[in-house]
Amino acid sequence: MALLVEKAISSASSPQGPRDALRRVFESISSGIIFKGSPGLLDLCEKDPFDTLATMTDQQREDITSSAQFAFRLLAFRQIYKVIDMDPLSQMSQHFNIHNNRKRKRDGDGVDGFEAEGKKKEERL
């Protein structure tokens, strides 16, 4: 598991946060990296090239890849709470709702802030 996570995250071009790193791990497993005939997962600590997943059956490889594809789909549709087995954030607390529909009140009568500011300056002159 550690080799797989390290390989997925280290191949990124820039540092990633936890959400993007998790998504990248599921994306790499979903792409079929653990299937026979793929580059495999080599242990860099060994002298000779050794595939660490050699003991897995074809069915196990297919099951893991299928599960990763499902988890990757859930992440793509913002349902990470199902992947990590927790309550959705909207049910946990309404205070952390980032999709707040309230709009900022404007200064002036129907004009945006810059126009209202310009009118105030003209009135002072």
Side-chain angles (χ1 to χ4, degrees):
M1 181 65 92
L3 286 172
L4 181 63
V5 170
E6 190 277 329
K7 185 172 185 173
I9 294 174
S10 67
S11 65
S13 60
S14 62
Q16 297 183 338
R19 180 185 58 125
D20 293 330
L22 181 65
R23 182 181 174 128
R24 189 162 179 88
V25 169
F26 282 123
E27 183 179 19
S28 64
I29 298 170
S30 298
S31 70
I33 195 170
I34 63 172
F35 281 141
K36 287 184 179 174
S38 68
L41 203 57
L42 302 177
D43 190 355
L44 301 176
C45 297
E46 299 290 330
K47 283 184 180 180
D48 299 324
F50 173 73
D51 186 10
T52 58
L53 305 174
T55 60
M56 290 179 68
T57 65
D58 289 341
Q59 184 63 47
Q60 289 172 326
R61 293 171 191 252
E62 189 173 321
D63 290 344
I64 291 171
T65 302
S66 176
S67 296
Q69 289 171 345
F70 181 69
F72 185 60
R73 241 180 253 116
L74 289 174
L75 291 174
F77 289 107
R78 297 180 179 259
Q79 296 179 358
I80 190 171
Y81 62 91
K82 291 181 181 178
V83 176
I84 58 177
D85 194 28
M86 64 178 274
D87 294 332
L89 289 177
S90 61
Q91 290 179 1
M92 289 177 60
S93 175
Q94 294 297 327
H95 298 292
F96 296 110
N97 188 0
I98 59 172
H99 301 292
N100 197 345
N101 291 333
R102 292 186 298 168
K103 293 185 178 181
R104 184 180 68 190
K105 293 183 180 180
R106 295 182 182 181
D107 294 336
D109 48 11
V111 294
D112 66 3
F114 293 115
E115 290 178 17
E117 198 172 297
K119 287 183 180 181
K120 287 179 186 175
K121 287 181 182 176
E122 288 176 10
E123 290 173 2
R124 287 184 215 154
L125 296 175

